[in-house]
């Protein structure tokens, strides 16, 4: 069972599972519609949620994947979207 991504959106997900309030977790990765960009944005989107919680803020499930892509390009340049080691070719 992978819980990292659900925890990035709902920090109380484990308690809800144990208490029987939910039986399964369905997390949809944020998508821009561009496959090569989505591969990177999904990971960064969840990372940004964890950083928000680290700053004492609540996760923002409505965080735009396009905003995440723009932040990635701004901080790392467009090369962050290039395939490395044959991935996503």
């Amino acid at each position: 069972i992978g819980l990292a991504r659900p925890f990035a959106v709902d920090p109380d997900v484990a308690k809800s599972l144990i208490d029987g309030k939910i039986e399964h977790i369905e997390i949809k990765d944020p998508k821009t519609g561009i496959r090569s960009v989505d591969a990177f944005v999904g990971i960064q989107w969840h990372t940004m949620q964890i950083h928000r919680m680290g700053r004492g803020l609540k996760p923002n499930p409505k965080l735009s994947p396009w905003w995440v892509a723009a932040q990635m390009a701004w901080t790392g340049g467009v090369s962050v979207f290039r395939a490395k080691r044959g991935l996503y070719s």
Side-chain angles (χ1 to χ4, degrees), residues 3-11 25-32 37-55 57-73 75 80-81:
L3 288 176
R5 289 184 180 205
F7 269 114
V9 181
D10 180 6
I25 303 164
E26 187 174 325
I27 297 292
K28 295 181 180 178
D29 277 337
K31 304 275 186 203
T32 62
V37 173
D38 289 341
F40 300 99
V41 167
I43 294 167
Q44 188 62 27
W45 187 90
H46 288 90
T47 301
M48 289 176 84
Q49 301 293 357
I50 292 168
H51 284 222
R52 285 180 58 82
M53 288 186 283
R55 292 190 313 267
L57 302 171
K58 290 185 178 185
N60 178 6
K62 294 182 179 181
L63 181 64
S64 167
W66 286 104
W67 175 252
V68 175
Q71 288 290 322
M72 290 174 67
T75 59
V80 298
F81 300 111

